[in-house]
Amino acid sequence: MTNILPKQYTDAKDFLELWGTDHVEIYVGNAKQSAYYFKTAFGFQEVAYAGLETGVTDRTSYVLQQDKIRLVITSSLVKDSTINEHLNEHGDGVKIVALWVPDATKAFSETTSRGARPYQKPQVIEDTNGKVVTSGIYTYGETIHLFVERDDYKGPFLPGYVARKPQYQPSGVGLKYIDHMVGNVDWGQMNTWVKFYAEVMGFSQIISFDDKDISTEYTALMSKVMSNGNGRIKFPINEPAEGKKRSQIEEYIDFYNGAGVQHLALATDNIIHTIHELRARGVEFLDVPDTYYNDLKDRVGAIEEDMEVLKKYKILVDRDDEGYLLQLFTRPLMDRPTVFIEIIQRKGATSFGKGNFKALFEAIEREQEQRGTL
Ligand code: FE2
């Protein structure tokens, strides 16, 4: 592993100022039911809505929020639509990773002048709550970065959406913000997209793993982590590597039909509580063998949590130079083995759990074997 963290913030260019993640939009076959799943299982609150009742005739979107995390769950109401084309190609998946910017017009011109493929020119949308400017560019696959400038807006989400406060509002599970979002790209494409984030968006590379770091007996992958200047946005990018069998990245690429978002890592400040709640609500996690905990203490040293409790909830631990982190990964959320969610609690560590990769991949391989896709 090459860890070049000290250069993290000095390398980043400031032509593209990003204040954070604005929202993540997921295209699904049935937004009403998917929204129910994210509310019930993950404790999101429904805060805004657009659809037939609000004068939108071609799509329905539910805006779900938990602390700083905002998901938009969208499906098409009509036969021929770009949403349905996306669904047919990729299955349910992340279409838009929207970034909160001070100036969406500048974000568009700075990125497109550096080679980004335009998705949407700057556009002003208004309602009685004020004004929002959006613009967008393509990133890997058919995934979009939408730039959202919302200084002058006081509504529940974006113009055109109405506030919602349905009776059914399951309690949260302690999820706070998006820690990072990972993209899987096709064979030989990792460096292309590393270059895209560096040159087009001014990100810098903070960590890289190669197949010697991340491999099991059967499968391997390569990964590089790109971060923006203030460190609020981190996009690791994975590429499959040659192994004896089909890696999980390759499996994703096959089922998603190309590059796309692999997982959202959601941060909590009490992972035991969060995982307890999620498990009780039926969220399925990757299985971790009991043997993982045998040498954990030797590997990570002293930690505040009770090892027996971690073992009970099958929570993973890893340590780096700056501290440790606790994490766990769900099974794919979709029928296709594509998108999943990571739950992460950082206790000083700024890395991504490299020490867990091997144990984790072996767990994934056992599941791939059951799916007949290894
Ligand atoms: Fe992750």
Side-chain angles (χ1 to χ4, degrees):
M1 182 181 75
T2 320
N3 194 332
I4 47 178
L5 266 172
K7 288 173 74 186
Q8 177 179 2
Y9 304 125
T10 52
D11 267 9
K13 314 291 184 299
D14 58 5
F15 57 81
L16 180 61
E17 196 181 342
L18 302 172
W19 286 346
T21 307
D22 191 88
H23 65 271
V24 175
E25 182 162 6
I26 305 174
Y27 282 178
V28 299
N30 185 339
K32 186 175 212 165
Q33 292 192 2
S34 292
Y36 176 82
Y37 170 74
F38 281 104
K39 285 161 65 176
T40 305
F42 285 91
F44 282 87
Q45 307 289 308
E46 188 177 325
V47 297
Y49 170 85
L52 290 175
E53 298 82 349
T54 69
V56 177
T57 55
D58 66 339
R59 63 177 65 197
T60 300
S61 297
Y62 295 81
V63 183
L64 309 179
Q65 192 157 355
Q66 187 163 178
D67 206 323
K68 292 193 178 67
I69 310 162
R70 189 154 49 191
L71 303 180
V72 181
I73 315 291
T74 296
S75 55
S76 177
L77 293 174
V78 295
K79 180 165 157 272
D80 298 313
S81 66
T82 52
I83 297 168
N84 283 344
E85 281 165 25
H86 199 271
L87 276 180
N88 192 35
E89 195 72 15
H90 309 293
D92 289 4
V94 174
K95 175 63 177 176
I96 291 175
V97 174
L99 305 171
W100 180 32
V101 297
D103 187 339
T105 307
K106 182 168 183 280
F108 185 79
S109 63
E110 293 286 0
T111 51
T112 53
S113 70
R114 288 174 169 80
R117 184 155 71 96
Y119 168 71
Q120 181 213 293
K121 284 184 183 163
Q123 187 182 319
V124 181
I125 35 174
E126 283 177 274
D127 67 11
T128 52
N129 289 309
K131 184 184 92 171
V132 172
V133 186
T134 63
S135 65
I137 59 170
Y138 281 89
T139 175
Y140 46 75
E142 293 193 289
T143 316
I144 305 299
H145 285 315
L146 193 73
F147 300 116
V148 182
E149 173 190 336
R150 52 165 71 254
D151 273 22
D152 301 324
Y153 195 67
K154 290 175 181 54
F157 178 51
L158 291 174
Y161 284 78
V162 295
R164 288 270 271 220
K165 212 170 192 295
Q167 258 193 326
Y168 180 63
Q169 293 280 20
S171 58
V173 299
L175 298 174
K176 302 277 182 196
Y177 60 91
I178 296 178
D179 184 274
H180 60 277
M181 266 173 283
V182 179
N184 282 342
V185 301
D186 218 330
W187 296 93
Q189 293 298 303
M190 182 173 68
N191 287 333
T192 303
W193 291 103
V194 164
K195 199 163 168 260
F196 169 87
Y197 280 105
E199 290 178 2
V200 172
M201 298 193 55
F203 282 40
S204 47
Q205 186 184 324
I206 54 172
I207 298 175
S208 118
F209 311 104
D210 63 21
D211 48 352
K212 283 171 226 63
D213 295 310
I214 313 177
S215 65
T216 66
E217 190 188 345
Y218 296 126
T219 63
L221 71 80
M222 295 184 281
S223 187
K224 288 184 177 174
V225 183
M226 303 303 290
S227 171
N228 81 317
N230 60 22
R232 287 185 199 165
I233 298 169
K234 295 186 204 77
F235 292 146
I237 298 166
N238 295 332
E239 174 189 323
E242 263 337 313
K244 278 194 217 160
K245 294 196 177 183
R246 180 155 71 160
S247 75
Q248 48 145 332
I249 310 304
E250 210 177 336
E251 181 191 41
Y252 175 103
I253 298 287
D254 290 349
F255 278 90
Y256 201 77
N257 284 316
V261 172
Q262 179 209 36
H263 73 268
L264 310 181
L266 308 180
T268 169
D269 52 22
N270 185 347
I271 198 166
I272 291 168
H273 164 73
T274 299
I275 299 293
H276 171 84
E277 280 294 318
L278 293 173
R279 285 193 183 280
R281 297 170 189 214
V283 174
E284 297 176 322
F285 291 93
L286 281 184
D287 198 26
V288 179
D290 284 344
T291 51
Y292 171 87
Y293 297 90
N294 292 351
D295 62 345
L296 186 61
K297 204 164 186 294
D298 298 338
R299 205 155 54 69
V300 302
I303 57 171
E304 288 169 19
E305 293 74 14
D306 182 337
M307 289 273 182
E308 283 308 309
V309 176
L310 296 181
K311 185 175 173 181
K312 177 183 163 199
Y313 289 110
K314 303 201 175 224
I315 294 166
L316 303 163
V317 193
D318 196 28
R319 184 177 281 283
D320 65 19
D321 295 343
E322 287 157 278
Y324 67 98
L325 62 83
L326 304 126
Q327 64 186 167
L328 190 50
F329 301 82
T330 71
R331 293 203 169 120
L333 303 183
M334 322 305 189
D335 291 314
R336 300 191 199 191
T338 54
V339 186
F340 61 87
I341 282 178
E342 170 183 350
I343 307 297
I344 184 166
Q345 181 178 6
R346 293 189 181 278
K347 293 208 158 173
T350 53
S351 54
F352 297 84
K354 183 186 83 117
N356 288 323
F357 288 175
K358 193 175 161 96
L360 201 67
F361 289 178
E362 284 167 354
I364 293 173
E365 283 164 15
R366 283 192 295 276
E367 303 203 345
Q368 277 183 275
E369 193 135 47
Q370 285 168 10
R371 294 194 282 264
T373 59
L374 186 62

